[in-house]
Amino acid sequence: MAFVGKKFPNLNVNAMNEMGETFTINVLEEATKNNKKVLLFWYPKDFTFVCPTELHAFQADLAEFEKRNTIVIGASCDTAEVHFAWLSTSKDNGGIEGVTYPILADSNRNLANALDILDITNESYNEETGLVTVEGDNVTYRATYIIDEEGTVVHESINHMPLGRNVKEYLRLIDAYTHVQEKGEVCPANWEEGKDAMQANAKGTAEYLKAHLN
């Protein structure tokens, strides 16, 4: 199910921070009540391989997101206690010590199910035993959401497990959407802050193509 153009699900989820405190986050309310954008990124599992590189990469650019009035939130289906164990593990040992943004602990998978981002390739029901079994790890893909100040999803993407994300691209997307909000223009292919945007009409397209593709 695609959520672009729709409100983000209104669900409370447990979370953990670097201080070892478990608390509740509602991603929709983080956006609307704080009048901020939210960058929510999901990763498959704590104590794995590509995942810590991504968490550290988002941390490295955290100040850039904050400059853009954007809250960063990580998420997986691990428990809060496992998150804290990983947060307490040094980089030298594959940990994420030094990460300061909150990490959702969606261990009951309520939000991941609502977003339909779980690695379930097949689900079957055994009438004789009454058991439902699934194929797949039942953890999340590398899904990423940008949510605006009104709680609407303006970007959604999903990577398979081996494919790490480019954090700079999400900064570019936030810049582009902010430009749309503030200037009323649309952002063409490969747009970056400081480059020309265009009016969303036939004349605007023609003028942009004439200026930039000749």
Side-chain angles (χ1 to χ4, degrees), residues 174-193:
I174 291 168
D175 285 341
Y177 190 66
T178 301
H179 185 93
V180 172
Q181 290 175 305
E182 295 178 351
K183 306 295 185 182
E185 296 179 313
V186 293
C187 297
N190 299 324
W191 183 91
E192 294 176 343
E193 184 65 44

Side-chain angles (χ1 to χ4, degrees), residues 151-165:
T152 301
V153 177
V154 299
H155 169 84
E156 174 182 9
S157 61
I158 302 177
N159 289 9
H160 205 350
M161 312 301 187
L163 303 177
R165 283 162 281 213

Side-chain angles (χ1 to χ4, degrees), residues 7-209:
K7 295 293 185 185
F8 193 81
N10 185 8
L11 288 172
N12 295 326
V13 184
N14 283 339
M16 172 59 66
N17 63 22
E18 81 278 16
M19 303 300 294
E21 299 165 337
T22 302
F23 54 102
T24 299
I25 287 182
N26 183 308
V27 175
L28 177 65
E29 291 181 356
E30 287 294 303
T32 57
K33 290 189 175 181
N34 293 303
N35 193 34
K36 291 178 180 286
K37 294 181 178 68
V38 174
L39 185 289
L40 171 67
F41 73 97
W42 294 79
Y43 61 92
K45 297 178 185 178
D46 292 353
F47 291 100
T48 52
F49 319 114
V50 175
C51 297
T53 70
E54 293 193 310
L55 275 86
H56 285 300
F58 277 105
Q59 179 67 36
D61 271 328
L62 189 59
E64 292 299 319
F65 285 101
E66 291 172 349
K67 285 180 189 176
R68 292 161 172 81
N69 197 41
T70 300
I71 299 167
V72 173
I73 302 174
S76 78
C77 295
D78 297 280
T79 65
E81 292 80 10
V82 175
H83 282 340
F84 186 55
W86 204 25
L87 283 162
S88 303
T89 302
S90 69
K91 292 179 184 178
D92 291 347
N93 289 313
I96 57 168
E97 185 178 28
V99 167
T100 60
Y101 50 81
I103 306 175
L104 299 187
D106 189 32
S107 55
N108 58 19
R109 291 165 170 74
N110 285 341
L111 184 53
N113 268 310
L115 296 171
D116 194 22
I117 56 173
L118 288 166
D119 172 27
I120 299 175
T121 55
N122 188 44
E123 185 173 311
S124 59
Y125 173 71
N126 187 313
E127 293 185 0
E128 185 175 328
T129 63
L131 296 176
V132 176
T133 58
V134 299
E135 295 177 17
D137 289 337
N138 202 26
V139 298
T140 66
Y141 294 107
R142 299 187 193 281
T144 315
Y145 299 86
I146 298 173
I147 301 132
D148 73 8
E149 296 87 346
E150 296 181 353
T152 301
V153 177
V154 299
H155 169 84
E156 174 182 9
S157 61
I158 302 177
N159 289 9
H160 205 350
M161 312 301 187
L163 303 177
R165 283 162 281 213
N166 183 340
V167 173
K168 303 296 185 187
E169 172 63 5
Y170 301 108
L171 292 169
R172 188 194 74 84
L173 288 168
I174 291 168
D175 285 341
Y177 190 66
T178 301
H179 185 93
V180 172
Q181 290 175 305
E182 295 178 351
K183 306 295 185 182
E185 296 179 313
V186 293
C187 297
N190 299 324
W191 183 91
E192 294 176 343
E193 184 65 44
K195 291 187 175 181
D196 290 338
M198 53 193 281
Q199 295 297 316
N201 53 46
K203 181 181 178 182
T205 302
E207 290 177 348
Y208 182 86
L209 294 177

